[in-house]
Amino acid sequence: MSETNQKLEDMRLKAVQGGGHRRIESQHKKGKLTARERIDILVDEGSFEEWDMFVEHRAVDFGMNNKKILGDGVVTGVGKVNGRTVFIFSQDFTVFGGSLSESHAKKILKVMEKAVQVGAPIIGLNDSGGARIQEGVASLGGYADVFYQNVLASGVVPQISMIMGPCAGGAVYSPAMTDFIFMVKDTSYMYVTGPDVVKTVTHENVTHEELGGAITHSSKSGVADCVFDNDIDSLIQLRKLLSFLPLNNKSSPPSFDSIDPNDRIETSLDTLIPDNSNKPYDMKELILKVIDEEDFFEIGQNYAKNIIIGFARVGGESVGIIANQPMVLAGCLDIESSVKAARFVRFCDCFNIPLVTFVDVPGFMPGTEQEYGGIIKHGAKLLFAYAEATVPKITIITRKAYGGAYDVMSSKHIKGDLNYAWPSAEIAVMGAKGAVEIIFREDLDNPEKIQKRTKEYEDNFANPYKAASLGFIDDIIFPKDTRKYIFNGLKLLKTKNISGVWKKHSNIPL
Amino acid sequence: MFKKVLIANRGEIACRIIKTLKKMDIKSVAVYSDPDKNSLHVKLADESCRIGEAHSSSSYLNIDNIVDACKSMNVDAVHPGYGFLSENVEFKKRLDKEGIKFIGPNELAIDIMGDKIRSKEVAKGCGVPTVPGNTDEVRDAKHAIKVSNEIGYPVMIKASAGGGGKGMRISYSDAETGESFDRARSEALSSFGDDRIFIEKFIENPRHIEIQVLADSHGNYLYLAERECSIQRRHQKVIEECPSPFINTTQRKLMGEKAVILAKEVNYVSAGTVEFIVDKDHNFYFLEMNTRLQVEHPVTEMVIGIDLVEWMIKIACGEKLNLKQNEIIIKGWAIESRIYAEDPFRGFLPSTGRVTKYITPTETENIRIDTGIYEGGEISIYYDPMIAKLCSWGNNRKEALKFMKDALNRYIVKGLQHNIPFLSSIMLNETFINGNLSTNFIQNEYPDGLTNYEEDNTDLSRIIALATLLNELSDNRLKINNNSNYLNQNSIFLVEYNKKKYDVRIRREGAYEKVLISNDLSNIANVKINNEEFNFCIYWDFFSPIVKVLVNKEEFFFQIQKEDFGYKIYNNGFEIYPKVLPYRNAHLQEYMPEKVDQDRSNFLISPMPGLLVSISVKVGQSVKEGESLVVVEAMKMENVLRAERDVTIKSIKHNTGSSLAVDEVIMEFE
């Protein structure tokens, strides 16, 4: 090998060692993989091309001029996942604790900019101690540059953040602006201020895990969309998620041949709805039985469980599923579930993923907690998101569709494209009991009369026929045929085209 | 012949009777209680009629309601099935009074055989052997020896007040009897405060073998071989077979003739069963006679080749039997497995609820399925938790066992717990395979129910190979610009299961370089696992939950379910979920922290899915063992969960009104 080539070989070898053998070992001991090992799992074999391997920081203060490591704590580049391009930055905790310097930020910006130009997703694997303190405000500037680029990329290409180590302080806001945040159990945490500061300021004693661990963010705060047991599991699942998404906002999600018959009849769905309308049933059974091959990628599984969201395919094409879950809080809409679903609806709308909505909603959650928390504004987010969405929208009402929540859940009035109801649907302002107690207030002391009136109300309104007679639903279908209707609907709506009024952007009630 | 018959029953037996009625061109009428209104038997019958509320006493056991149904539906006859009113004299009398034919025996037979003491007296009277001994008190050791000799050794010396094995002694000789008597008496006194003792025959390794009899109203009697029903759990039969591996032609004749003698003694008409207990020396003793169709009748039908229900109907119409005893020939071997909604991993707790998935093997001449449910149906808390009876037939016992094993592997029931894993395990049990049956079988072989899987290495390797292949096939589909539906030429994987690692190498057979997977396509691969080599041929369509696999040309059936990381594979009663990693990344797995299963003793776990109705404790409260913690409502039953030891409540994870999944943590203890 010529001397020049040998030099390159040597430099590369050096760069690949990152923070060195000892730090790699320590990373492994923590149950974490190195930045390059993670990329290797994420991408197809041999497909990764690294950029900026030779970038170093330019800091001179605090003796930093003597401490330089090739790559400066982040591995960036482009690779393929199942043959499709993705841009990646993977922070290297073995180099300066993965801290973000000006150069480190520039490397990230470079891949992000290119991703937007090329039209391919941006995957960030976050494992960083925070700002490079030695660089001071230059590092903060780096963060802000990344934030700005996140905003530019938002809605253009999918951005996915995988938190695989610490992510604290200002660093949290880049993932926060991406489309999905995944976290790894036990080895990752995210917070604005750490336990020590919390203790000083508020005198609360709290651990890293309790304050910002994967379980906290996936079940309490809703910040994390999915959590996985370890690095390998997370990256394998990330590959899977990408298979449901398009590369950018101008293309469609990939479609796959499915052997699952499009007109598959599921007779068991005819008995899914219990006789007693107050008895819960598992909405997930319906989802699994109508989608292709029972393959459902659920988002936010442990947060606001009264609404189910996630990706699936019907007839080989990606769809976003939104469904009330009667098993939890009777499937009502509250602050958390509204926000969870609203953000998902907007993501799908950004990226041309049709929405399939299953409705069994008794209304909005009542109570001071909800009102003080601003359910009015938060509920409005979901309403706004559905109304604004121009992707194909198919709605199936399985049972209750009461009150304002009926309007919100992709109803005809906010331009649902195809709205179907099962024969068990009850589309009404409210449940019969509540309604009768208001309309026939004068009969309240006469239980016999009230019972009669309740029956009357049930007969008139606890069904889909009133709504059907007004054209609010397009058809009443047998539950067993649901898959067929969804498949046909998606096929029909593939060429749906609506253009709105010109505006700079709308003003969703944030 | 009857024009219309009402079936005073539900579930699989009602469905089974309707099948025969259809064959005979007789109109069928199903009856149902409220929770049964969408049941399979109602769907299958020509007509149906509601007979009342859920509880049997107001529906299936309510004579008035059923007779009203008969009258309003204008039926000629009633088939009672088994259980419910099938052995109820009052029902039979009432039908007679109303001029409706009861498809079954006469009053006298039902009456006598329904009485444990009278039936034994009648049996004794006509020379049918009964278990020697009586419950008279034995006075002293000398008397004990005298009684023992009258009964014949071995004998069981028992405390009158006994229970739980206390005060029970087995004796094989006079010498033992004297000593055992004294010890049994003192034990009885100290345990129960009652020293009365009696002696009865001790039957070693008892087997439950019964004779099917069939009699017409013209005095013709037949015995239709025996059924062995020794595999029982708490007196509930689990597996039955016909013939019995313990009975030879001579004994069959002997027992059959005794059964017929007894049937004649009570002028028996219709199908009936005489149950015997058989000891290890082939001595048999009369237990009881069931004056109805038995649950396990299909095994007799498969081996003898007649339809017992059809004959019951014909006989009730006065027809003559057209077969002679010497024309009854045993052909092949049949086995029945009763599939129950009960959890073999949790002490056989009954399980109820919606059946979310139900796929049975196809019925063939080797497989018969008597089922009362369908996918989307429900196993309710009100009735017997039987889901189905799965029967297999082969030329011999070995073949019948093989068919049963495969059919169990292909039987899919989801949404509730069931005993198929347990049945599968029995099919692989050495003692069972060898035919060494006894009514103690389950107690001896499965003292703690179904527990750990004794891994057979070849079995496990096969499953790991399959998991790897399926994973690779489905992963390949996600690749863009790839003729994806086939295996790569050569792939290496590392598979992890149960903390062990397996090196799996797949090599596609040259001849099938580009075979697409389709409905009936074979994908052949050579799989090498830790140097053990297999030739695999997979029949799968990416969609079916059942995969047929030829491993080195031997056929296997596996149930599979796609999971986040590969496939969960079910076979022979056990679920295995190996994790498949591409070889290039596999070495990294060793850095992944092991997630320890939470120590769950500090948690109150919901044993079933249900609704948290009430919480009777507060955080910080100390609770004594046995005190109530919460009430969980499942299927309208309120289940009180109690403290299993003295605990202090650390935290409560749910509020009243929460729905709980099975295994969900309700509260944590200090």
Side-chain angles (χ1 to χ4, degrees):
Chain A
M1 198 182 280
S2 76
E3 206 175 305
T4 46
N5 287 359
Q6 185 61 48
K7 178 164 186 197
L8 176 60
E9 178 96 8
D10 291 348
M11 289 279 280
R12 282 198 163 167
L13 256 173
K14 201 171 151 203
V16 167
Q17 279 161 11
H21 178 68
R22 203 175 52 80
R23 291 222 165 80
I24 291 178
E25 204 170 273
S26 136
Q27 176 85 346
H28 283 161
K29 274 212 183 102
K30 283 183 227 156
K32 303 196 311 186
L33 299 179
T34 66
R36 287 189 175 77
E37 286 166 346
R38 286 168 176 163
I39 292 173
D40 196 43
I41 295 170
L42 176 62
V43 300
D44 299 345
E45 187 168 9
S47 71
F48 185 65
E49 282 179 29
E50 187 171 337
W51 294 354
D52 288 341
M53 186 187 257
F54 307 115
V55 163
E56 293 176 339
H57 68 76
R58 289 184 286 179
V60 290
D61 299 322
F62 309 107
M64 284 303 282
N65 45 342
N66 302 322
K67 288 188 209 155
K68 292 196 174 180
I69 298 175
L70 290 178
D72 205 33
V74 64
V75 181
T76 58
V78 60
K80 304 259 183 202
V81 172
N82 286 320
R84 303 163 75 218
T85 303
V86 292
F87 287 82
I88 300 163
F89 67 88
S90 176
Q91 291 178 312
D92 188 347
F93 196 78
T94 69
V95 178
F96 306 124
S99 62
L100 185 125
S101 67
E102 190 188 2
S103 314
H104 179 128
K106 282 200 169 133
K107 284 182 70 174
I108 295 175
L109 288 168
K110 194 193 259 184
V111 281
M112 288 177 78
E113 274 167 27
K114 200 50 71 187
V116 171
Q117 290 164 10
V118 169
I122 300 164
I123 314 289
L125 309 180
N126 296 264
D127 189 0
S128 162
R132 185 87 49 87
I133 304 168
Q134 294 90 334
E135 290 194 14
V137 74
S139 162
L140 290 185
Y143 273 126
D145 291 339
V146 175
F147 299 159
Y148 186 75
Q149 194 59 38
N150 280 133
V151 175
L152 283 189
S154 183
V156 181
V157 294
Q159 301 183 79
I160 300 167
S161 302
M162 179 81 90
I163 315 299
M164 311 186 85
C167 182
V172 299
Y173 284 109
S174 171
M177 286 193 289
T178 61
D179 297 307
F180 294 104
I181 297 178
F182 283 13
M183 285 182 82
V184 183
K185 265 186 214 163
D186 302 331
T187 50
S188 74
Y189 51 88
M190 280 180 97
Y191 37 64
V192 173
T193 50
D196 294 342
V197 180
V198 169
K199 176 119 208 274
T200 322
V201 178
T202 70
H203 307 289
E204 278 177 284
N205 270 319
V206 66
T207 62
H208 288 285
E209 189 59 33
E210 281 167 0
L211 186 61
I215 302 293
T216 299
H217 283 313
S218 62
S219 59
K220 286 202 175 88
S221 73
V223 166
D225 296 296
C226 296
V227 290
F228 300 103
D229 275 353
N230 58 48
D231 283 12
I232 296 180
D233 287 7
S234 315
L235 294 160
I236 291 175
Q237 287 304 303
L238 180 50
R239 283 177 66 89
K240 192 176 162 197
L241 171 66
L242 287 167
S243 74
F244 290 99
L245 311 182
L247 295 179
N248 56 58
N249 60 352
K250 293 202 184 91
S251 62
S252 303
S255 67
F256 296 93
D257 290 339
S258 173
I259 284 156
D260 198 346
N262 299 324
D263 55 357
R264 177 163 50 83
I265 296 205
E266 275 293 334
T267 44
S268 63
L269 291 180
D270 283 349
T271 55
L272 181 66
I273 307 298
D275 286 344
N276 177 347
S277 75
N278 291 321
K279 211 176 137 190
Y281 60 93
D282 190 358
M283 188 61 99
K284 268 189 199 154
E285 183 182 338
L286 165 58
I287 296 173
L288 292 178
K289 282 183 173 170
V290 299
I291 63 175
D292 289 355
E293 301 171 21
E294 299 184 8
D295 195 4
F296 184 51
F297 193 97
E298 190 174 353
I299 304 284
Q301 195 165 8
N302 297 312
Y303 179 76
K305 293 192 221 171
N306 40 339
I307 206 152
I308 305 168
I309 56 172
F311 297 104
R313 294 186 187 92
V314 175
E317 309 274 351
S318 285
V319 292
I321 306 264
I322 301 101
N324 307 112
Q325 170 58 290
M327 303 264 282
V328 181
L329 299 172
C332 75
L333 287 177
D334 56 5
I335 294 171
E336 295 183 349
S337 60
S338 301
V339 174
K340 174 181 169 185
R343 187 157 168 77
F344 183 71
V345 168
R346 279 171 72 83
F347 175 82
C348 292
D349 190 44
C350 283
F351 293 106
N352 314 316
I353 301 170
L355 296 168
V356 177
T357 306
F358 296 106
V359 184
D360 186 349
V361 64
F364 280 98
M365 179 88 157
T368 50
E369 200 186 317
Q370 291 290 315
E371 295 294 354
Y372 297 172
I375 179 68
I376 296 175
K377 273 208 166 179
H378 296 296
K381 289 176 183 172
L382 183 56
L383 174 59
F384 200 107
Y386 263 125
E388 201 184 32
T390 56
V391 287
K393 291 183 277 191
I394 299 177
T395 310
I396 316 276
I397 299 173
T398 60
R399 189 165 64 177
K400 292 170 191 162
Y402 286 168
Y406 151 72
D407 287 338
V408 170
M409 293 302 294
S410 195
S411 66
K412 200 78 191 167
H413 322 285
I414 56 170
K415 298 291 173 276
D417 293 304
L418 289 167
N419 294 57
Y420 298 113
W422 284 7
S424 46
E426 301 169 19
I427 306 168
V429 175
M430 58 171 72
K433 195 171 161 284
V436 166
E437 280 169 9
I438 294 168
I439 305 172
F440 302 102
R441 196 169 289 144
E442 68 277 9
D443 295 334
L444 272 182
D445 46 3
N446 188 338
E448 221 167 82
K449 260 191 183 166
I450 286 287
Q451 205 181 348
K452 200 175 141 242
R453 298 292 192 193
T454 308
K455 175 89 177 46
E456 226 171 78
Y457 192 92
E458 271 171 6
D459 292 346
N460 277 326
F461 294 101
N463 61 54
Y465 298 100
K466 194 85 190 172
S469 74
L470 296 168
F472 294 171
I473 53 172
D474 299 302
D475 199 1
I476 301 167
I477 61 170
F478 291 109
K480 66 179 178 203
D481 298 326
T482 305
R483 176 176 163 84
K484 191 178 76 187
Y485 277 90
I486 294 172
F487 172 78
N488 289 342
L490 289 169
K491 214 163 98 182
L492 175 75
L493 295 169
K494 224 176 164 174
T495 50
K496 176 189 174 187
N497 183 12
I498 40 173
S499 40
V501 192
W502 185 90
K503 57 174 120 176
K504 189 171 171 197
H505 64 68
S506 60
N507 186 15
I508 187 162
L510 290 174
Chain B
M1 186 48 68
F2 304 127
K3 293 236 163 22
K4 205 198 253 186
V5 170
L6 179 142
I7 303 107
N9 216 303
R10 62 180 300 284
E12 67 83 16
I13 193 61
C15 299
R16 187 256 167 273
I17 293 164
I18 292 168
K19 262 186 203 165
T20 292
L21 290 171
K22 287 206 159 131
K23 185 175 79 181
M24 297 174 76
D25 235 348
I26 299 170
K27 281 244 176 322
S28 54
V29 178
V31 292
Y32 61 90
S33 65
D34 289 336
D36 268 349
K37 76 169 188 252
N38 291 320
S39 291
L40 189 61
H41 72 284
V42 178
K43 288 177 193 254
L44 291 180
D46 295 315
E47 293 167 37
S48 62
C49 184
R50 178 186 176 273
I51 48 163
E53 286 157 13
H55 282 285
S56 307
S57 55
S58 43
S59 52
Y60 299 106
L61 282 174
N62 189 309
I63 295 177
D64 287 338
N65 291 4
I66 291 179
V67 169
D68 285 349
C70 290
K71 287 199 275 192
S72 73
M73 303 308 281
N74 203 14
V75 302
D76 309 317
V78 170
H79 195 303
Y82 54 72
F84 295 126
L85 295 172
S86 61
E87 292 172 288
N88 185 311
V89 183
E90 294 312 313
F91 183 52
K92 152 87 173 145
K93 280 187 191 160
R94 180 70 186 281
L95 287 177
D96 284 352
K97 212 173 99 192
E98 304 286 349
I100 301 162
K101 194 83 191 170
F102 175 80
I103 301 174
N106 58 42
E107 269 168 53
L108 177 77
I110 300 173
D111 207 20
I112 290 177
M113 292 305 165
D115 181 328
K116 290 230 168 204
I117 296 171
R118 272 171 72 200
S119 63
K120 274 199 180 145
E121 279 165 3
V122 170
K124 245 184 201 166
C126 63
V128 177
T130 55
V131 180
N134 55 50
T135 52
D136 295 345
E137 190 191 338
V138 176
R139 294 183 302 274
D140 51 33
K142 219 169 140 189
H143 185 206
I145 291 169
K146 181 169 169 272
V147 174
S148 299
N149 278 304
E150 279 165 18
I151 292 170
Y153 283 108
V155 295
M156 172 85 83
I157 300 166
K158 267 185 175 172
S160 295
K166 289 243 167 66
M168 253 162 73
R169 300 261 150 196
I170 298 161
S171 168
Y172 289 89
S173 66
D174 287 357
E176 272 182 305
T177 302
E179 195 194 324
S180 297
F181 175 80
D182 291 336
R183 290 187 45 194
R185 185 148 76 170
S186 68
E187 227 174 83
L189 188 64
S190 65
S191 300
F192 313 111
D194 177 349
D195 68 351
R196 284 175 307 149
I197 296 290
F198 70 96
I199 297 179
E200 64 176 23
K201 179 87 182 169
F202 173 66
I203 294 166
E204 292 173 277
N205 298 325
R207 302 175 78 120
H208 177 118
I209 295 173
E210 59 190 29
I211 304 286
Q212 175 71 54
V213 295
L214 189 59
D216 64 17
S217 50
H218 306 276
N220 300 307
Y221 289 83
L222 291 175
Y223 57 88
L224 306 175
E226 74 284 356
R227 291 185 288 260
E228 169 143 19
C229 318
S230 297
I231 310 298
Q232 308 181 349
R233 197 182 68 79
R234 296 206 184 134
H235 303 291
Q236 184 193 56
K237 294 168 188 170
V238 178
I239 292 173
E240 301 98 337
E241 54 190 294
C242 173
S244 158
F246 197 60
I247 301 294
N248 61 24
T249 319
T250 322
Q251 181 156 24
R252 180 169 302 123
K253 185 158 184 277
L254 191 62
M255 288 174 74
E257 281 167 357
K258 290 287 183 200
V260 165
I261 286 171
L262 183 65
K264 278 186 178 157
E265 191 69 18
V266 291
N267 291 327
Y268 201 85
V269 169
S270 194
T273 297
V274 182
E275 296 190 339
F276 293 103
I277 186 161
V278 183
D279 72 13
K280 69 179 183 14
D281 301 317
H282 292 260
N283 297 312
F284 59 94
Y285 308 99
F286 170 74
L287 272 183
E288 60 177 351
M289 180 170 189
N290 293 322
T291 56
R292 55 167 159 87
L293 188 66
Q294 297 271 96
V295 176
E296 60 272 21
H297 74 275
V299 287
T300 302
E301 295 185 327
M302 289 174 95
V303 164
I304 305 296
I306 69 163
D307 181 337
L308 282 168
V309 172
E310 183 180 348
W311 272 108
M312 288 176 81
I313 294 166
K314 283 182 173 168
I315 288 167
C317 273
E319 278 192 35
K320 253 189 194 168
L321 283 170
N322 64 353
L323 280 166
K324 299 249 159 13
Q325 187 62 51
N326 60 13
E327 292 169 320
I328 302 296
I329 292 156
I330 293 177
K331 185 166 173 273
W333 208 287
I335 297 176
E336 173 180 283
S337 292
R338 296 194 192 183
I339 299 174
Y340 285 107
E342 59 185 21
D343 189 348
F345 298 100
R346 294 187 190 202
F348 296 94
L349 266 180
S351 180
T352 55
R354 179 174 164 83
V355 179
T356 55
K357 193 163 257 185
Y358 189 64
I359 305 174
T360 64
T362 323
E363 285 195 272
T364 63
E365 59 174 359
N366 299 102
I367 295 295
R368 166 173 168 173
I369 296 160
D370 289 50
T371 183
I373 66 149
Y374 55 91
E375 185 169 299
E378 198 160 308
I379 299 286
S380 87
I381 53 167
Y382 301 106
Y383 314 109
D384 186 74
M386 191 154 74
I387 297 172
K389 302 183 307 204
L390 172 62
C391 295
S392 69
W393 181 91
N395 286 308
N396 50 50
R397 189 166 187 267
K398 196 177 160 201
E399 210 181 281
L401 280 175
K402 156 86 178 142
F403 280 119
M404 179 59 78
K405 197 177 95 178
D406 283 348
L408 286 167
N409 279 333
R410 296 163 71 178
Y411 213 113
I412 301 181
V413 183
K414 284 188 181 162
L416 37 72
Q417 303 302 319
H418 54 77
N419 69 339
I420 293 177
F422 181 58
L423 298 168
S424 284
S425 167
I426 293 176
M427 291 305 140
L428 295 175
N429 179 291
E430 219 40 44
T431 311
F432 179 76
I433 291 171
N434 294 332
N436 293 328
L437 315 181
S438 96
T439 53
N440 303 324
F441 174 85
I442 290 177
Q443 207 181 316
N444 292 343
E445 302 282 326
Y446 300 91
D448 305 313
L450 196 51
T451 51
N452 282 330
Y453 185 25
E454 293 290 327
E455 270 157 24
D456 174 307
N457 281 330
T458 315
D459 279 357
L460 191 60
S461 296
R462 266 198 297 266
I463 292 175
I464 281 169
L466 177 66
T468 313
L469 286 165
L470 296 179
N471 195 60
E472 171 74 344
L473 285 166
S474 67
D475 257 14
N476 276 346
R477 292 173 80 201
L478 294 180
K479 291 187 182 143
I480 299 296
N481 303 328
N482 180 352
N483 302 320
S484 57
N485 288 347
Y486 57 90
L487 289 164
N488 291 332
Q489 198 70 20
N490 289 292
S491 323
I492 312 176
F493 299 89
L494 191 90
V495 180
E496 253 203 1
Y497 171 70
N498 207 6
K499 291 174 191 151
K500 284 194 205 108
K501 290 185 169 61
Y502 301 83
D503 177 309
V504 183
R505 287 156 198 264
I506 300 174
R507 185 167 57 80
R508 291 296 318 280
E509 296 265 305
Y512 292 87
E513 250 185 279
K514 281 194 178 183
V515 182
L516 277 168
I517 293 239
S518 71
N519 279 324
D520 62 341
L521 132 146
S522 52
N523 223 305
I524 295 192
N526 252 330
V527 183
K528 206 169 172 184
I529 298 180
N530 297 349
N531 290 323
E532 194 182 354
E533 226 175 304
F534 300 91
N535 183 279
F536 262 76
C537 188
I538 300 178
Y539 297 82
W540 186 45
D541 59 3
F542 281 122
F543 176 56
S544 162
I546 290 167
V547 181
K548 186 171 101 174
V549 181
L550 296 181
V551 184
N552 299 337
K553 304 215 166 104
E554 195 185 341
E555 185 183 77
F556 294 91
F557 292 94
F558 296 93
Q559 281 179 34
I560 58 163
Q561 188 175 321
K562 190 149 173 49
E563 296 289 334
D564 287 345
F565 304 96
Y567 285 83
K568 206 181 252 174
I569 296 181
Y570 171 92
N571 181 245
N572 289 338
F574 288 90
E575 232 168 37
I576 289 176
Y577 180 17
K579 190 163 176 179
V580 183
L581 289 171
Y583 207 75
R584 70 188 172 100
N585 301 132
H587 65 284
L588 299 173
Q589 183 69 23
E590 69 175 286
Y591 302 125
M592 296 296 99
E594 205 172 286
K595 302 279 154 167
V596 270
D597 281 339
Q598 264 182 341
D599 172 15
R600 315 206 86 185
S601 61
N602 255 353
F603 296 92
L604 177 69
I605 310 281
S606 180
M608 66 207 110
L611 185 76
L612 186 55
V613 186
S614 69
I615 302 170
S616 33
V617 291
K618 288 194 186 73
V619 173
Q621 190 178 335
S622 294
V623 181
K624 289 255 173 287
E625 180 189 328
E627 274 185 59
S628 152
L629 298 173
V630 298
V631 177
V632 177
E633 187 194 285
M635 302 302 298
K636 295 180 189 161
M637 292 285 284
E638 294 207 334
N639 303 277
V640 181
L641 305 186
R642 295 169 193 281
E644 287 184 356
R645 58 190 169 86
D646 296 356
V647 292
T648 306
I649 313 299
K650 187 175 172 196
S651 64
I652 299 174
K653 312 278 184 198
H654 288 277
N655 298 324
T656 308
S658 290
S659 335
L660 302 167
V662 67
D663 282 341
E664 198 157 336
V665 173
I666 304 172
M667 57 179 72
E668 192 180 347
F669 309 126
E670 301 257 336

